[in-house]
Amino acid sequence: MSFRGGPVLGIESSCDETSAAVVADGEVLGHVILSQDAHALYGGVVPEIAARQHLAHIDGVVAGALEEAGIEPKDLRGVGVTAGPGLVGALLVGLNWAKGFAYPLGLPIVGVHHMEAHLYANSLESSGATPPFVALLVSGGHTLLLHAPRWGEYRLLGATRDDAVGEAFDKVARRLGLGFPGGPQIEKLARRGKAGRYRLPRPMLSKRDGPRDAAYFDFSFSGLKTAVSLLVAEVEANAAGTDMEASRADLAAEFQEAVVDVLVAKTMRAVEHTGCRRVLLGGGVARNGPLRERLTEALVPTGELFAPSPRLSTDNAAMVARLAEHRLTAGEAHGLDLNADPGLSFPGLVDRERTE
Ligand code: KG4
Ligand code: ZN
């Protein structure tokens, strides 16, 4: 098999997944994702443990991806690695490993932004997932609503003012006595419950706001999380030893519905405002079934939703390799002075104030 320019190795280690992938011309040839389960015990990611686990497993994870792809290191065209944002210790493991691997082989290295890579995950599975589009990026650390007229040109419409959506799922899950990560567990519990029995707020959805108000596109999930906490305390007090199981399922269903209501409404505001009816979803929360269903319905009949398959929604290296492939094709590469940046800014993202 021959590929234009050759295959690219991608490495992802920004949080608690150690992952490596080989991608050529948008095709995933080999892909290994190791989710660290050591954090479950603590109810959240412990940065020091994450870094140590990456170090312990990265050799094997990369070897596995290369083997699956049937590719020798000398056949690679370059190495893409997540340079930020994320946990600095975790990022450094992947970055330094990538440098040590690329240097003796004389391969170019390109550092990529984790959230931009989530966006590129879509282009691994759908050739139609190209600009112009509106994107909703929802992960454990970020909630971004943007408009992309072209790859690399992103206009920020809205962002969270406090907690990220995934973080809210994780915190509410913990309050409901569920394990970590909380998103999948809330979704599962909510299937047995009914939204509407308890009523939670839909934050930042005031009808008085218009596109010129920042609040029109922005998000806030911290108040919702507190509202759940107060409601759970009230329900627990009234339950007085009776079975809480059905109530917990109803609470999970109402919380999920509140979040989905807000995400769908804001995304549709962005669609109306930009006139762009192609929507890309990315980040771990993109796995959420009700979110995908409701967005798909809202875009009928003239719009279209692109969302990665579950494996490519949460953290993975295929999306990193895919973005690196674009960068290398554009002639971009970094030097060995490339550093991990836990607060790396989104390349090409222009703030709302500067676009109006
Ligand atoms: O993108 P990701 O794997 O890591 C970060 O970049 O943060 O996203 C992880 C987040 C976690 O907060 C997790 O609870 C959430 O994605 N998540 C979900 C679901 N699956 C994962 N949230 C809601 N519903 C899901 N099915
Ligand atoms: Zn992520």
Side-chain angles (χ1 to χ4, degrees):
M1 239 185 293
S2 86
F3 294 98
R4 243 185 317 131
V8 174
L9 174 70
I11 293 171
E12 158 64 36
S13 72
S14 66
C15 193
D16 58 342
E17 263 84 26
T18 316
S19 181
V22 180
V23 167
D25 290 348
E27 192 187 332
V28 183
L29 306 180
H31 194 189
V32 176
I33 306 172
L34 188 97
S35 294
Q36 304 174 353
D37 49 19
H39 307 283
L41 191 64
Y42 305 94
V45 178
V46 183
E48 180 67 22
I49 295 177
R52 285 172 189 268
Q53 293 270 317
H54 286 308
L55 203 53
H57 299 295
I58 192 155
D59 283 331
V61 166
V62 177
L66 287 168
E67 193 184 322
E68 190 187 324
I71 294 285
E72 297 287 329
K74 66 173 174 41
D75 300 328
L76 291 167
R77 164 195 185 186
V79 181
V81 58
T82 304
L87 304 169
V88 71
L91 288 165
L92 278 169
V93 174
L95 193 66
N96 286 324
W97 197 96
K99 286 184 191 174
F101 177 81
Y103 181 68
L105 291 164
L107 293 171
I109 176 168
V110 54
V112 306
H113 188 281
H114 181 78
M115 295 313 289
E116 191 183 15
H118 271 303
L119 203 53
Y120 271 78
N122 283 287
S123 71
L124 287 163
E125 295 173 312
S126 322
S127 56
T130 51
F133 56 72
V134 160
L136 177 68
L137 294 177
V138 276
S139 72
H142 297 85
T143 308
L144 295 167
L145 184 59
L146 47 94
H147 174 224
R150 268 172 288 282
W151 282 126
E153 189 181 327
Y154 309 114
R155 298 180 184 159
L156 181 68
L157 293 168
T160 184
R161 296 186 173 188
D162 38 60
D163 291 358
V165 195
E167 190 183 353
F169 267 102
D170 294 337
K171 287 177 177 167
V172 165
R174 191 199 283 221
R175 185 68 184 89
L176 289 172
L178 303 168
F180 178 84
Q185 309 226 21
I186 296 237
E187 183 176 354
K188 192 165 159 227
L189 181 61
R191 270 186 227 124
R192 288 192 271 124
K194 207 170 154 24
R197 175 175 165 205
Y198 301 107
R199 195 68 192 155
L200 286 166
R202 271 61 176 162
M204 312 272 284
L205 274 189
S206 165
K207 295 225 169 20
R208 286 192 303 274
D209 293 328
R212 293 202 156 269
D213 302 301
Y216 189 69
F217 296 116
D218 271 352
F219 305 90
S220 165
F221 295 104
S222 167
L224 179 60
K225 174 193 66 187
T226 308
V228 174
S229 195
L230 294 172
L231 193 54
V232 173
E234 192 185 314
V235 172
E236 276 170 352
N238 292 337
T242 60
D243 184 16
M244 272 284 293
E245 212 37 48
S247 305
R248 282 169 68 250
D250 291 337
L251 285 161
E254 174 65 11
F255 166 72
Q256 181 174 255
E257 184 136 311
V259 170
V260 171
D261 280 351
V262 172
L263 294 176
V264 173
K266 301 265 172 175
T267 305
M268 293 315 291
R269 283 178 176 182
V271 165
E272 299 311 325
H273 180 65
T274 59
C276 183
R277 300 190 64 81
R278 184 180 302 148
V279 176
L280 263 65
L281 199 57
V285 183
R287 275 192 178 210
N288 188 267
L291 174 63
R292 297 165 82 112
E293 287 153 24
R294 290 270 309 281
L295 271 175
T296 305
E297 282 164 23
L299 286 160
V300 168
T302 56
E304 197 176 0
L305 178 73
F306 292 93
S309 57
R311 186 170 149 88
L312 295 181
S313 293
T314 35
D315 289 351
N316 69 85
M319 65 184 193
V320 173
R322 179 61 173 151
L323 173 51
E325 207 180 19
H326 275 253
R327 290 271 189 277
L328 290 166
T329 302
E332 291 171 33
H334 289 108
L336 288 177
D337 56 348
L338 174 68
N339 203 358
D341 182 352
L344 187 66
S345 52
F346 202 124
L349 188 68
V350 183
D351 233 338
R352 180 178 31 224
E353 289 77 42
R354 294 181 22 216
T355 59
E356 283 178 356

